[in-house]
Amino acid sequence: MAFDYKKEYKEFYMPKNKPSIVTVPQMNFIAVRGKGDPNAEDGAYKQAIGLLYGIAFTIKMSKKGDHQIEGYFDYVVPPLEGFWWQEGVEGVDYSHKEEFNWISVIRLPDFVTKADFDWAVEEATRKKKTDYSKVEFFTYDEGLCVQCMHIGSYDDEPATVQIMHEYMEAQGYAPDITDQRLHHEIYLSDARKVAPEKLKTVIRHPIKKLG
């Protein structure tokens, strides 16, 4: 049975649709940075997703090749995630998606070292005849956050964020979104196959204790 991060770490991937406080440990990711509207046809964001999955599946399928990763175990590729921000905007302004900055990521299993990652980039470049130079090994220590499952369109996220912030303040916390601590989304649904009103997205915001 393949290890499934969503099922094994439900506190991080399957929160309830009401806010909760969570401390997220440091994780490593495959990452691509970019800017612009994620909905743009053939835009940078959609190209980034293709690059991420190219590396993710090269690592997952390494068990069938010559590069045997120490400590490897069979696993389900974790869900697509994204960190989002806009210059000079506190939070996220959904009416100006063309101004989005983003880091699109997929979690790496802990057994994947930087050397293994570099091998995967070389291997994917060679096999797929694609430029993977934008892909990076990204370490993120998220720490204390408020999170909630959002069910519905991405454009309706502000209502869920409002509920999260009201809950956080009632618990004695304040938002702590900075250049290093970002608005975070985890995509549990495939937007190409699921109706907007049924999309499941984990929304997570960094927080700090007041006083």
Side-chain angles (χ1 to χ4, degrees):
M1 193 79 168
F3 187 93
D4 189 335
Y5 285 85
K6 296 190 300 296
K7 294 177 180 176
E8 300 295 334
Y9 296 104
K10 288 182 179 177
E11 68 269 35
F12 303 133
Y13 296 100
M14 304 295 286
K16 295 181 170 58
N17 59 346
K18 59 183 182 181
S20 60
I21 306 294
V22 65
T23 300
V24 185
Q26 179 174 294
M27 300 177 191
N28 295 326
F29 297 90
I30 311 163
V32 177
R33 298 169 190 262
K35 184 167 185 171
D37 186 341
N39 300 319
E41 283 301 322
D42 298 322
Y45 182 75
K46 292 186 177 176
Q47 291 172 15
I49 291 173
L51 295 174
L52 291 176
Y53 279 105
I55 301 303
F57 279 99
T58 298
I59 292 169
K60 176 175 167 59
M61 301 312 294
S62 63
K63 62 183 178 181
K64 296 190 173 182
D66 295 332
H67 185 89
Q68 296 294 305
I69 298 176
E70 186 176 348
Y72 181 99
F73 54 80
D74 197 22
Y75 64 100
V76 177
V77 171
L80 180 70
E81 309 182 36
F83 299 98
W84 301 84
W85 72 98
Q86 289 153 306
E87 304 299 339
V89 175
E90 188 173 326
V92 176
D93 178 1
Y94 292 81
S95 63
H96 288 285
K97 294 177 182 171
E98 73 281 357
E99 295 177 3
F100 275 143
N101 295 283
W102 39 264
I103 309 172
S104 192
V105 303
I106 294 175
R107 182 178 180 175
L108 284 166
D110 291 342
F111 59 72
V112 178
T113 65
K114 177 64 164 57
D116 295 320
F117 176 87
D118 291 342
W119 164 83
V121 171
E122 288 182 15
E123 180 76 355
T125 301
R126 181 177 65 82
K127 278 194 167 181
K128 301 175 190 294
K129 304 290 190 288
T130 300
D131 180 8
Y132 284 92
S133 60
K134 289 183 178 178
V135 180
E136 62 183 273
F137 185 91
F138 178 64
T139 301
Y140 194 68
D141 191 354
E142 197 158 20
L144 189 65
C145 295
V146 60
Q147 68 179 13
C148 187
M149 182 73 78
H150 171 75
I151 299 175
S153 165
Y154 303 130
D155 289 341
D156 294 336
E157 287 182 6
T160 298
V161 169
Q162 178 67 25
I163 292 167
M164 288 165 54
H165 282 217
E166 289 172 0
Y167 171 83
M168 163 195 71
E169 288 165 4
Q171 300 294 316
Y173 296 91
D176 193 30
I177 293 178
T178 67
D179 291 346
Q180 278 74 46
R181 306 191 75 207
L182 302 165
H183 172 98
H184 185 182
E185 301 181 1
I186 304 172
Y187 307 106
L188 302 178
S189 306
D190 186 337
R192 299 168 299 178
K193 301 175 182 175
V194 177
E197 65 273 13
K198 294 182 178 178
L199 291 170
K200 289 185 175 181
T201 307
V202 180
I203 303 176
R204 191 181 289 159
H205 276 186
I207 59 175
K208 59 187 176 184
K209 191 74 176 171
L210 285 171

